Amino acid sequence: MNPFPHIIYQPNGSPNGPVSPVHSPAHTPSPPATSPGQTSPSLGYLAPHGVPAIYGGSMHLFSYQSKLPSMGHAFGPHSLLNQTTGSPGQALMSPPTFASTQPQLLSPGVTNILTTNNLGAVNTTHWQQQLNYAQLSRQSATPHHHARQAAAAARNSSLGSSAIAITDPNNPNKPPVNGVLSKKETNGDKHDLPFQQWKTIDLGGMGLKNISKELFQYGFLTTLYINHNNLTYISSEISKLRHLTLLDISGNKLSSIPPELGMLTNLRDLLMFDNMIVTLPFELGTLYQLETLGLEGNPINEAIKSILQKEGTAAVVSFLRENCQVPPPPMERDWITLESEPAGGDRADTFTLLCYNILCEKYATTQLYGYTPSWALSWDYRKERIKREVLKYKADIICLQEVDTSQYEEFFKDIYSRYGDYDSVYWPKSRAKTMTDVERKSVDGCATFFKASKYKLIDKQLIEFNQVALQRPDIKKTEDMFNRVITKDNIAVVTLLENKDNFSRLIIVNCHIHWDPSYADVKLVQVAMLMDELDKLAQKWCDIPSKSIYNYTSPQKISTIICGDFNSTPDSGVYEFLSRGIIKQDHCDFGDHIYGSYVSEGLQHRLSLKSAYSNIEELPFTNFTPRFTGVIDYVWYSTNTLCVTGILGGVDKEYMSKIVGFPNAHFPSDHIVILAEFRVKPPQPIQPPPQFGGLSSGSNSNSSQRRLNTQLGSKK
C-alpha cells in the first residue's frame, strides 16, 4: 500500500506543490587507520609486480540504462599512448586537488576541441578549466604516473624524505616491503608512532580489462587511479569505497557508469575524461561535495554538456539531484514485542511514548544537506510528512525536539490537538528570553504532547542548564563553566502527568543536549545537572497528595521517562552515567576541564535507568547523514517502576543500502522516530506484620517489635 497517496509525482520525480530551496550538517569521521579489508601488502607498492591481486580474472558485467536521450557525438575520445617507464616510486604523496589548483594552460599544439566542434561556450571559465584538467589527465597515460610523480617529488624535496613505509597489513611487525624505515626503527623508540597507513592506489596506464572486486573491500581508500586502461564497465561494488575523495577513470572504454557512484558522497574529484559516456545517472546528484566533474572527450548529452560549460560542476550535480526520480518507499518498520500482556492485565497502566528530533526549518539548509533535493528539504513539504509520521503511531505521549516557536504555535499545537486529542507543553531554548517577539519565533525548543483523554497535567518545569550552572557555588566561577557551559542554551522540559483512570503518575523529561562532539565535557555536565534538578523536582512532587494506590513517598517510586536527543553515542560518558548511575571524577570525557565537585568527587544519580532499546540492542542509528550515522537519541526509563513491552524496529536495510542520508522524500528529518511501549509495574503491597504466638517475655517481645519496625521501615 502506498503510504503517500497525497503525493503526485511529476515526470521529473518532484512532487506537486510549492518548492523552496532550503539543506543539514554532519561530521565526517576520519578514515580508519586500518581496515579489515587490508589483506594484500602488494596494494601499497603501486608497481606492476606489486598489484597482481588487484586485477585479472573474469567478472560479471553490469549494464546500466541511460536516462537521458542520446544526442550523438560532439567530440570523440582521444587516442592514448601506453608508454613504459622506469622503476616504481617508493612514496605516495597526497594527490593534487584539481578544483583548488590553478590549471595549466593548454599547449600551443593542442587543438581546442570546442572550437573544432563549433560549440558556443568556448570562453567560459568553467569549460576552460575542464579543457585544462583534461590535458593534465592525458599526460598521465603512462603506467603508475601519479605514483612515480609522487616518488620523484619526495626524493627531490628539500624538506627531507616524506616516503611512507609500505607494510603488510596482516603483519605490521614485518619489515616494510619498500625498504623505507618507520620512525620506530629510525629512532629506536619502542613507543614511537606506528607505521603510516596508505590510502591511495594507482593502477593507471596498465591496460587492464577487469578490476577484481577484492579492490572494493579496501574501504579506507581516499584516492583511486584506474585511468588509461581498457575497462568497459565499472562494478557497482565501487560504492563500498565510501571514503574516496578522488576517483580517476579517464581514458578507458566506458559507455556508462553505475548509479551506485552516487553513494560516494565524499568525492571532490570525479574524472571521466576520454571515454564513450553519453549520459550520467541522476543518482550522481547526491555528490554534493563534488568540485571537479571531468567529462571532456566524451560524447556527452547536450543538456548536461551545456550546463557544465556555462555553470560548472555544481550546476550539473544540482540538475541531476533535482530531476532524480523518487525511489520506492521503504517497508514499514517492524513492531518488536518484548513482553506479552498478562491475562486480565489493566491496559490503563500501559502507555506508548514517541521521541523525535524533527530538524527545525532554520537548520535545514542547502549548505548542510546538499544531497537532499530542494523540494524535499522545504519546510512546507517536511512539516506535512512530520505531522503524518507522528500521528500514525497514535502514541500516548510525544516528545519532539527542534520545534521552533512559530511552528509550535501556528502548526503543531493546533494540528495535534485537533487530529490526535493532545494537550502540550512547550519551551524554547534560553536565548529566546533575550530576543524580540519577532526574533523569538525562530528559536527552537522542546515540545511534549500527551493524550488529553488519558492524562492530566499536574505540574511542569523548565530546566535551563546555563542558569542551573550559575546557581551552583562550586562551579559558577570556574573558567570552563563560563566559557564552555554557560554559553550553551540547551534545555529540558519536565512534566508530571497523572493517569485519569487510576491516578498513577509519570515524570516525563524531554531534553536536547549540546551537539558539538568536541564538547563531551559539556554534555556530561548538562546531563549531571539534569539529574540533580530532576531529583529535586521529584522530591517536591512526592508531597503532592495523590489518590493513587501507588506509594509515592520517594522520588525513586515515581515512574520516570528521560528521553530526547542526547547527541551522545553508546560509548560516551553520558550513556555510561545514565545507565550505571555513577561516573568517576577522572572520566576521559571531562578532559582537563574544571567543574567543581563533578571533577573532584565524580557524578552520581539515584534512579535505576535503562535505555528502552538496550533490552535487545540499540538501533543501528537514530541519526543518518553522509558525515555521521549513529545512535544519539534515547528513551530512558526507571526499571523499578516500568517495564518495556515493545519497541519500534529499525529502517528497512535494503532501502538503507541505496540511500546516502536523511532527510529525503520519505524521511523528513535527519533523525528517525523512536517509539516504545511501557507497562507500569503494580505497586508492591506492604506485608502485614507477622504474628508471633507464645511470646510472654518482655525482652523477646521488644526484640520482635524492633524486627517488625525494621521490616516496615525498609518498605517505605
Side-chain angles (χ1 to χ4, degrees):
M1 173 175 154
N2 181 7
F4 316 116
H6 70 291
I7 301 178
I8 301 175
Y9 292 108
Q10 301 290 1
N12 66 357
S14 301
N16 275 350
V19 174
S20 63
V22 254
H23 289 174
S24 127
H27 306 281
T28 306
S30 301
T34 60
S35 168
Q38 293 173 317
T39 57
S40 173
S42 64
L43 287 178
Y45 195 55
L46 309 173
H49 59 278
V51 290
I54 298 304
Y55 61 95
S58 59
M59 300 176 70
H60 176 66
L61 296 178
F62 294 83
S63 60
Y64 296 92
Q65 297 294 329
S66 299
K67 294 189 176 182
L68 289 175
S70 175
M71 302 297 294
H73 291 218
F75 38 83
H78 292 253
S79 59
L80 302 170
L81 298 178
N82 187 13
Q83 301 175 356
T84 57
T85 127
S87 58
Q90 292 178 319
L92 188 62
M93 298 171 61
S94 299
T97 301
F98 288 95
S100 61
T101 57
Q102 181 66 30
Q104 300 180 8
L105 296 177
L106 288 172
S107 313
V110 176
T111 303
N112 190 317
I113 301 173
L114 291 178
T115 303
T116 303
N117 288 276
N118 298 319
L119 298 175
V122 175
N123 296 323
T124 64
T125 302
H126 298 294
W127 193 250
Q128 191 61 43
Q129 289 179 344
Q130 182 86 184
L131 294 176
N132 292 335
Y133 297 152
Q135 178 65 11
L136 292 176
S137 174
R138 289 163 192 148
Q139 295 171 358
S140 65
T142 55
H144 307 296
H145 171 85
H146 298 283
R148 297 177 193 280
Q149 273 200 332
R155 288 193 297 268
N156 298 329
S157 173
S158 60
L159 300 178
S161 175
S162 60
I164 299 172
I166 306 299
T167 64
D168 182 350
N170 297 317
N171 187 5
N173 296 320
K174 185 178 179 180
V177 298
N178 61 344
V180 178
L181 297 180
S182 67
K183 291 184 178 181
K184 175 179 177 181
E185 292 170 302
T186 55
N187 298 339
D189 187 353
K190 294 183 179 180
H191 300 288
D192 209 344
L193 297 175
F195 298 127
Q196 183 173 347
Q197 299 296 319
W198 47 270
K199 298 183 179 70
T200 300
I201 291 181
D202 183 358
L203 298 177
M206 297 180 64
L208 306 179
K209 295 184 178 180
N210 290 298
I211 296 291
S212 171
K213 292 183 180 180
E214 293 299 318
L215 173 64
F216 306 130
Q217 303 302 317
Y218 291 74
F220 56 88
L221 290 177
T222 60
T223 303
L224 177 61
Y225 297 103
I226 49 177
N227 55 298
H228 298 100
N229 286 297
N230 293 313
L231 303 175
T232 57
Y233 74 99
I234 300 293
S235 170
S236 61
E237 294 195 29
I238 197 172
S239 63
K240 296 178 180 179
L241 304 182
R242 298 297 178 89
H243 289 118
L244 280 185
T245 59
L246 187 152
L247 174 62
D248 191 350
I249 56 176
S250 303
N252 282 285
K253 299 178 180 179
L254 303 171
S255 58
S256 65
I257 56 174
E260 288 79 4
L261 277 180
M263 302 297 292
L264 307 182
T265 54
N266 285 310
L267 277 178
R268 265 69 170 182
D269 301 289
L270 177 56
L271 309 181
M272 302 184 288
F273 301 116
D274 301 324
N275 280 285
M276 296 179 289
I277 299 171
V278 176
T279 189
L280 299 177
F282 284 101
E283 287 80 357
L284 297 194
T286 55
L287 302 182
Y288 67 106
Q289 300 189 78
L290 197 64
E291 299 170 358
T292 305
L293 178 63
L295 290 176
E296 205 278 331
N298 287 279
I300 198 69
N301 176 278
E302 186 65 31
I304 295 176
K305 180 176 62 180
S306 176
I307 296 173
L308 186 62
Q309 290 174 343
K310 297 176 182 179
E311 303 176 65
T313 294
V316 173
V317 173
S318 177
F319 168 79
L320 297 173
R321 179 173 59 249
E322 298 300 324
N323 290 277
C324 186
Q325 292 184 354
V326 176
M331 296 179 62
E332 289 293 327
R333 295 169 64 182
D334 293 332
W335 179 255
I336 303 172
T337 300
L338 301 179
E339 185 176 315
S340 300
E341 183 180 349
D346 184 4
R347 290 294 300 176
D349 277 345
T350 300
F351 66 94
T352 52
L353 183 140
L354 179 150
C355 181
Y356 191 20
N357 181 323
I358 66 171
L359 179 61
C360 77
E361 181 178 10
K362 70 172 180 285
Y363 297 151
T365 66
T366 54
Q367 290 74 27
L368 298 175
Y369 299 92
Y371 50 88
T372 305
S374 59
W375 58 264
L377 199 59
S378 69
W379 180 245
D380 286 339
Y381 176 81
R382 292 198 305 113
K383 72 178 182 181
E384 292 296 327
R385 297 285 310 157
I386 292 168
K387 179 191 76 173
R388 296 196 310 278
E389 177 78 4
V390 170
L391 287 176
K392 76 177 182 179
Y393 292 113
K394 301 178 181 179
D396 296 307
I397 301 169
I398 299 169
C399 295
L400 303 182
Q401 303 86 44
E402 287 196 24
V403 182
D404 65 39
T405 304
S406 63
Q407 294 301 332
Y408 171 75
E409 294 177 347
E410 300 169 10
F411 184 72
F412 290 111
K413 182 179 180 180
D414 294 336
I415 285 291
Y416 287 158
S417 175
R418 185 188 317 158
Y419 294 104
D421 182 38
Y422 291 103
D423 283 344
S424 56
V425 174
Y426 173 81
W427 265 293
K429 290 179 178 176
S430 301
R431 76 186 78 155
K433 296 189 296 185
T434 65
M435 296 180 170
T436 65
D437 291 340
V438 175
E439 294 172 329
R440 190 179 298 121
K441 289 184 177 295
S442 64
V443 178
D444 66 291
C446 298
T448 300
F449 300 82
F450 53 92
K451 287 284 187 181
S453 59
K454 186 170 184 176
Y455 291 106
K456 173 185 176 182
L457 178 65
I458 302 297
D459 200 3
K460 60 183 179 180
Q461 185 69 44
L462 170 67
I463 298 177
E464 299 176 282
F465 298 124
N466 54 9
Q467 297 303 310
V468 173
L470 288 172
Q471 297 169 10
R472 291 183 60 95
D474 61 328
I475 55 179
K476 67 179 182 180
K477 295 182 179 180
T478 64
E479 181 179 343
D480 287 322
M481 186 60 73
F482 273 107
N483 294 336
R484 297 178 68 82
V485 176
I486 295 178
T487 56
K488 313 299 184 295
D489 65 346
N490 301 87
I491 63 169
V493 173
V494 188
T495 54
L496 176 63
L497 304 178
E498 184 176 82
N499 190 308
K500 291 183 176 181
D501 291 333
N502 61 10
F503 307 107
S504 63
R505 290 179 176 175
L506 289 172
I507 295 177
I508 304 297
V509 181
N510 180 5
C511 64
H512 193 181
I513 303 303
H514 184 60
W515 69 272
D516 194 336
S518 62
Y519 283 78
D521 57 307
V522 173
K523 300 178 189 186
L524 196 49
V525 168
Q526 286 182 343
V527 174
M529 292 188 293
L530 169 63
M531 298 307 295
D532 289 344
E533 293 302 302
L534 181 58
D535 186 68
K536 297 175 185 177
L537 286 173
Q539 189 67 60
K540 181 181 71 172
W541 288 338
C542 285
D543 297 332
I544 300 177
S546 172
K547 300 178 183 179
S548 174
I549 61 173
Y550 295 89
N551 184 24
Y552 299 131
T553 57
S554 69
Q556 294 76 33
K557 294 185 178 181
I558 305 179
S559 299
T560 302
I561 298 282
I562 305 174
C563 67
D565 179 359
F566 291 82
N567 278 305
S568 304
T569 54
D571 60 351
S572 65
V574 167
Y575 192 99
E576 180 182 348
F577 174 53
L578 289 173
S579 59
R580 295 182 56 189
I582 189 170
I583 281 285
K584 292 184 178 180
Q585 64 271 23
D586 58 351
H587 192 278
C588 60
D589 279 7
F590 282 128
D592 56 358
H593 303 291
I594 305 300
Y595 295 114
S597 62
Y598 288 164
V599 295
S600 63
E601 301 175 11
L603 307 180
Q604 190 170 2
H605 69 77
R606 297 194 292 171
L607 295 180
S608 174
L609 296 176
K610 187 175 183 179
S611 169
Y613 279 85
S614 68
N615 284 281
I616 45 173
E617 61 179 345
E618 299 291 350
L619 291 171
F621 65 87
T622 62
N623 179 253
F624 179 63
T625 68
R627 293 178 177 176
F628 174 81
T629 299
V631 177
I632 55 177
D633 305 88
Y634 306 93
V635 177
W636 299 89
Y637 68 99
S638 53
T639 59
N640 60 309
T641 59
L642 297 170
C643 63
V644 182
T645 59
I647 54 176
L648 183 64
V651 183
D652 178 14
K653 291 183 179 180
E654 183 178 356
Y655 174 86
M656 293 303 303
S657 68
K658 303 173 184 177
I659 302 298
V660 301
F662 298 155
N664 65 7
H666 306 121
F667 290 85
S669 172
D670 54 345
H671 294 250
I672 62 172
V673 165
I674 54 176
L675 175 69
E677 182 182 62
F678 298 91
R679 184 167 59 246
V680 181
K681 293 182 178 180
Q684 299 296 323
I686 298 179
Q687 301 293 333
Q691 300 297 320
F692 296 93
L695 293 178
S696 57
S697 168
S699 61
N700 287 344
S701 177
N702 291 338
S703 176
S704 299
Q705 185 61 47
R706 284 195 298 270
R707 288 198 298 271
L708 290 175
N709 291 340
T710 301
Q711 292 174 3
L712 292 174
S714 67
K715 298 180 182 294
K716 293 182 180 180

